[in-house]
């Protein structure tokens, strides 16, 4: 198959475009979540399966472009989540203390893998897309309709209608809010607001595109959608949503090619008018109510709760800065870390910050991988904006890319701004925009935008093409070896010192520092060298840990040690006041030590990179012109 010359557009597909529009509409309107429990099959999985079939058919029949940078960034995010899950301490101890299901981390990793497949499918469905306006309309129009329902519910129906689950009126309140807070198809108004700030720049792009093509009457449709979405943003009462909307709109207007002096004048007039609206300025200014010492003015319970939960997330980061507490482990470990602070929280609350929450769960490695996904998408959109020819005719290939690339930048920046106040959920809405940015970049590359003439290029050696894969292979290989090394299984049990009768002085558990440790020493001595028991005088708890070749053997050793310890306590006459009530034994096969695995992976990466560098240097030294000894020319007869 011959490689097409630069300037040849990628082939389009009507079926792929229609399916992509359906996926965008279902995800950005929240229809997937509303219908999740009402249909026998998940709408998301059904559309994803159709997308996989369509993509495979396109790859066989047509030329498609794979955005490898986006795929690599998402793959790095998956690997970071898997590494954090493997190294996290959500083991048998956490199961016993917090009730966490054993497959919580695995389920979180599986969710990220689904997101990777979703991004690849959307990228390939959008390969060669011509009707970008259709995808933007599929994103914007359903949102505008839901916002219209919210306005009708607030001002005409007394907030009594649900419209089949697409209009949720929450009971949440906030400082400066003057209406009920509407959450659309999701339970929380803040998250619905983050949906809206993703779509608002695309609504602006639709209107701008219609005006550029001279369809001023048609431009009234996106203009009406913009108005309805602004009403929906107002009804969320979400400070993060309002800030994100300002960021997204500002970014789009700056990148759309409009006169910047006119934009500055409009902003000077429009922003004060927006801030004097009841429920906007009062809501935004409430963010400034936090003083330097962290106390929040005006009794803003939401701000107090956010500061408290972010303090807990910071404690997790301090304890596990590189790999985190494990994907999905924030809620499991919350009580442990909250107990180490002087916070007063009535419930377990998410960190309300994507960046702190991601860092706490999957560490700095996972946070950087997640940010790389967004950074690559911004780079793709910026590349389209930078290389798009200024003299494109309205009907020429790629003529629609520029306004929608500006919309991608605005949407991503708006999402990032709103996510300072929210944790990571409904991530597929973000990944849709990321995939669209990748498809735009591959289309611009196929059209030859920004390409240099081949004669003017200077081919430079690129050893990283060999070094990076070799380092990755070395790291994975050594990590697998370390993971496969045999390790003793562990068993864990907790015992409570219970008074024998009501006359026993229960406070002696806390006032006499020798009671619980003494019982622990007796139990440990009875169990032998494979058992370790510790007594906590402040709580009156005895923790017993045992090891064995298998989890079953470790559990049997722990139970035998518990029995022998109780007998030794009885023989010593120590059970006159207290007896030990043991909880069920939890046993597990522990994973490798995270430090050992990290050091091994780093050593494997270094070894692989060094080997690849030596191979590359040796290969280049054998080339004519790259050798230390000049190549001998062939003799001519």
């Amino acid at each position: 198959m011959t490689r097409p010359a630069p300037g040849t557009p990628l082939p389009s597909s009507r079926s792929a475009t229609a399916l992509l529009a359906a996926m965008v509409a279902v995800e950005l309107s929240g229809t997937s979540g509303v219908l999740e429990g009402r249909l026998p099959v998940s709408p998301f999985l059904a559309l994803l399966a159709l997308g996989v079939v369509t993509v495979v058919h396109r790859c066989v029949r047509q030329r498609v472009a794979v955005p490898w940078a986006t795929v690599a960034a998402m793959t790095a995010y998956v690997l970071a989540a898997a590494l954090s899950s493997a190294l996290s301490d959500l083991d048998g101890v956490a199961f016993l203390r917090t009730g966490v299901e054993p497959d919580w981390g695995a389920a979180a990793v599986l969710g990220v893998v689904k997101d990777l497949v979703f991004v690849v499918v959307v990228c390939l469905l959008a390969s060669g897309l011509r009707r970008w306006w259709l995808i933007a309309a599929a994103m914007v129009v359903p949102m505008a309709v839901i916002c219209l329902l919210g306005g009708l519910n607030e001002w005409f129906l007394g907030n009594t209608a649900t419209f089949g689950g697409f209009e949720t009126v929450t009971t949440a309140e906030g400082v400066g809010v003057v209406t009920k807070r509407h959450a659309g198809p999701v339970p929380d108004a803040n998250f619905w607001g983050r949906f809206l700030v993703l779509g608002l720049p695309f609504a602006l792009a639709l209107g701008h595109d219609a005006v550029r093509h001279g369809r001023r009457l048609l431009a009234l449709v996106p203009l009406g959608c913009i108005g309805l979405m602004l009403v929906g943003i107002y009804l969320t009462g979400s400070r993060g949503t309002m800030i994100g909307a300002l960021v997204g709109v500002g970014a789009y207007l700056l990148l759309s090619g409009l006169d910047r002096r006119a934009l500055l004048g409009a902003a000077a007039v429009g922003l004060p008018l927006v801030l004097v609206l009841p429920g906007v300025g009062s809501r935004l200014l409430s963010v400034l109510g936090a003083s330097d010492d962290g106390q929040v003015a005006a009794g803003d319970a939401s701000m107090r709760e956010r500061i408290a939960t972010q303090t807990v997330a910071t404690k997790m980061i301090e304890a596990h800065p590189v790999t985190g507490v494990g994907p999905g482990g924030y809620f499991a470990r919350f009580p442990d870390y909250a107990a180490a602070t002087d916070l007063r929280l009535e419930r377990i609350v998410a960190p309300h910050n994507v960046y702190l929450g991601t860092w706490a769960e999957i560490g700095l490695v996972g946070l950087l991988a997640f940010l790389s996904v967004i950074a690559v998408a911004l780079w793709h959109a910026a590349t389209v904006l930078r290389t798009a020819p200024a003299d494109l005719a309205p009907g020429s290939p790629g003529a629609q890319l520029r306004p929608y690339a500006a919309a991608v930048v605005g949407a991503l920046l708006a999402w990032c701004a709103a996510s300072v106040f929210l944790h990571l959920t409904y991530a597929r809405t973000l990944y849709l925009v990321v995939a669209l940015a990748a498809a735009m970049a591959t289309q611009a590359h196929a059209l030859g935008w920004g390409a240099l003439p081949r004669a003017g290029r200077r081919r430079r050696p690129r050893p990283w093409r060999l070094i990076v894969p070799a380092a990755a292979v070395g790291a994975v290989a050594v990590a697998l070896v370390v993971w496969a090394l045999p390790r003793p299984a562990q068993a864990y049990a907790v015992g409570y010192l219970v008074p024998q009768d009501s006359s026993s002085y229960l406070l002696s558990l806390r006032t006499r520092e020798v009671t619980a440790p003494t019982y622990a020493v007796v139990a440990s001595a009875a169990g032998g060298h494979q058992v370790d028991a510790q007594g906590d005088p402040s709580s009156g708890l005895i923790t017993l840990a045992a090891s064995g070749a298998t989890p079953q053997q470790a559990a049997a050793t722990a139970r035998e040690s518990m029995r022998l310890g109780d007998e030794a306590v009885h023989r010593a006459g120590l059970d006159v006041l207290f007896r030990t009530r043991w909880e069920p034994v939890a046993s597990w096969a522990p994973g490798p030590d995270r430090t050992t695995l990290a050091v091994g992976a780093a050593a494997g990466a270094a070894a692989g990179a060094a080997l690849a560098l030596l191979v590359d240097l040796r290969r280049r030294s054998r080339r004519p012109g790259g050798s230390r000894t000049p190549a001998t020319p062939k003799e001519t007869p």
Side-chain angles (χ1 to χ4, degrees):
M1 181 176 178
T2 60
R3 184 182 181 89
T8 304
L10 294 169
S12 62
S13 169
R14 292 183 178 180
S15 60
T17 301
L19 181 57
L20 177 60
M23 295 177 72
V24 169
V26 167
E27 290 299 327
L28 270 298
S29 65
T31 304
S32 178
V34 172
L35 301 180
E36 186 72 33
R38 304 180 185 181
L39 298 178
V41 180
S42 167
F44 164 69
L45 294 179
L47 288 174
L48 185 62
L50 288 175
V52 170
V53 173
T54 305
V55 163
V56 171
H57 181 264
R58 288 200 71 186
C59 292
V60 173
R61 300 292 299 273
Q62 292 181 333
R63 178 172 66 98
V64 295
V66 179
W68 291 112
T70 299
V71 174
M74 284 296 299
T75 303
Y77 182 43
V78 172
L79 293 177
L83 176 65
S84 176
S85 179
L87 297 180
S88 64
D89 52 1
L90 293 177
D91 49 19
V93 175
F95 305 154
L96 184 63
R97 291 181 174 175
T98 64
V100 180
E101 293 295 331
D103 61 346
W104 196 336
V109 174
L110 180 60
V112 181
V113 173
K114 289 180 182 178
D115 292 335
L116 169 62
V117 176
F118 178 73
V119 168
V120 173
V121 168
V122 173
C123 287
L124 297 183
L125 288 176
S127 177
L129 181 65
R130 300 285 188 272
R131 300 176 180 177
W132 286 98
W133 64 267
L134 179 61
I135 304 304
M139 183 184 302
V140 169
V141 173
M143 286 185 179
V145 172
I146 295 173
C147 292
L148 174 61
L149 298 179
L152 293 175
N153 205 12
E154 173 68 29
W155 290 297
F156 295 97
L157 301 177
N159 294 316
T160 58
T162 62
F163 295 103
F166 285 92
E167 183 16 44
T168 303
V169 181
T170 69
T171 58
E173 298 179 353
V175 175
V177 176
V178 297
T179 66
K180 287 290 186 180
R181 300 187 64 182
H182 294 251
V186 299
D188 193 312
N190 298 298
F191 294 112
W192 173 235
R194 195 163 61 179
F195 278 60
L196 294 175
V197 299
L198 274 177
L200 188 58
F202 284 91
L204 292 170
L206 275 174
H208 188 198
D209 194 27
V211 172
R212 285 174 61 247
H213 287 80
R215 301 169 182 172
R216 299 184 181 274
L217 187 61
L218 185 62
L220 295 177
V221 176
L223 183 62
C225 291
I226 293 171
L228 291 173
M229 293 174 73
L230 291 176
V231 170
I233 289 173
Y234 177 78
L235 290 177
T236 63
S238 171
R239 291 169 285 208
T241 297
M242 296 175 187
I243 294 173
L246 291 175
V247 171
V249 170
Y252 177 82
L253 294 178
L254 288 175
L255 296 173
S256 60
L258 300 177
D259 185 11
R260 298 193 175 184
R261 292 184 179 179
L263 293 176
L264 184 61
V269 176
L271 282 178
L273 294 177
V274 170
L275 291 177
V276 299
L277 286 175
V280 177
S282 58
R283 189 69 173 141
L284 290 176
L285 293 177
S286 67
V287 179
L288 305 178
S291 62
D292 294 335
D293 59 355
Q295 299 298 319
V296 180
D300 192 339
S302 174
M303 288 292 292
R304 287 198 302 271
E305 192 174 67
R306 289 169 189 264
I307 293 174
T309 57
Q310 289 171 13
T311 301
V312 176
T314 304
K315 292 291 184 181
M316 295 181 184
I317 292 171
E318 292 173 354
H320 306 283
V322 179
T323 56
V325 298
Y330 176 86
F331 294 98
R333 304 301 305 190
F334 185 92
D336 297 334
Y337 289 92
T341 67
D342 56 355
L343 301 174
R344 298 181 63 182
L345 291 169
E346 298 179 355
R347 57 178 181 148
I348 299 177
V349 187
H352 287 290
N353 185 299
V354 160
Y355 314 104
L356 277 179
T358 304
W359 193 350
E361 287 203 344
I362 56 177
L364 182 61
V365 175
L367 175 63
L368 293 178
F370 174 74
L371 292 178
S372 72
V373 175
I374 300 176
V376 167
L378 289 171
W379 170 60
H380 280 152
T383 300
V384 174
L385 292 171
R386 179 175 53 84
T387 61
D391 55 349
L392 279 177
S396 60
Q400 289 187 339
L401 286 180
R402 185 176 182 84
Y404 297 106
V408 164
V409 175
L412 291 175
L413 293 180
W415 190 93
C416 291
S419 296
V420 174
F421 307 91
L422 297 172
H423 59 279
L424 183 61
T425 187
Y426 305 107
R428 288 199 299 269
T429 57
L430 169 69
Y431 297 144
L432 264 173
V433 180
V434 168
L436 293 179
M440 291 178 185
T442 56
Q443 191 169 349
H445 179 74
L447 292 172
W449 292 0
L452 295 175
R454 187 165 296 277
R457 294 181 181 177
R458 181 181 178 183
R459 188 174 182 85
R460 298 179 180 180
R462 298 179 179 179
W464 58 267
R465 290 186 172 181
L466 182 62
I467 292 175
V468 172
V473 170
V476 172
V478 176
L480 289 176
V481 171
V482 174
W483 182 269
L485 291 176
R487 285 172 295 276
Q490 301 291 326
Y492 183 88
V494 174
Y496 300 87
L497 292 183
V498 181
Q500 290 285 22
D501 53 51
S502 58
S503 62
S504 296
Y505 186 38
L506 184 59
L507 290 179
S508 65
L509 291 175
R510 294 176 173 81
T511 58
R512 300 176 185 176
E513 296 184 356
V514 298
T515 306
T518 300
Y519 277 68
V521 169
V522 172
S524 180
H529 68 279
Q530 291 183 327
V531 176
D532 177 60
Q534 300 292 331
D536 184 6
S538 62
S539 62
L541 295 181
I542 297 176
T543 57
L544 186 145
S547 60
T550 65
Q552 293 77 15
Q553 292 182 7
T557 302
R559 294 189 186 95
E560 181 66 12
S561 176
M562 292 156 55
R563 185 185 66 81
L564 294 176
D566 290 342
E567 292 179 356
V569 167
H570 177 71
R571 288 195 302 269
L574 297 176
D575 58 346
V576 175
L577 294 178
F578 299 98
R579 63 180 177 85
T580 308
R581 178 171 59 84
W582 295 100
E583 292 293 315
V585 176
S587 61
W588 68 97
D593 177 68
R594 65 175 64 198
T595 302
T596 304
L597 192 59
V599 171
L611 181 61
L613 182 60
L614 290 176
V615 171
D616 182 74
L617 291 175
R618 185 174 182 82
R619 185 175 58 184
R620 279 193 285 168
S621 66
R622 293 182 176 180
R623 293 175 182 171
S627 170
R628 293 187 179 87
T629 58
T632 303
K634 295 181 179 181
E635 297 183 359
T636 56

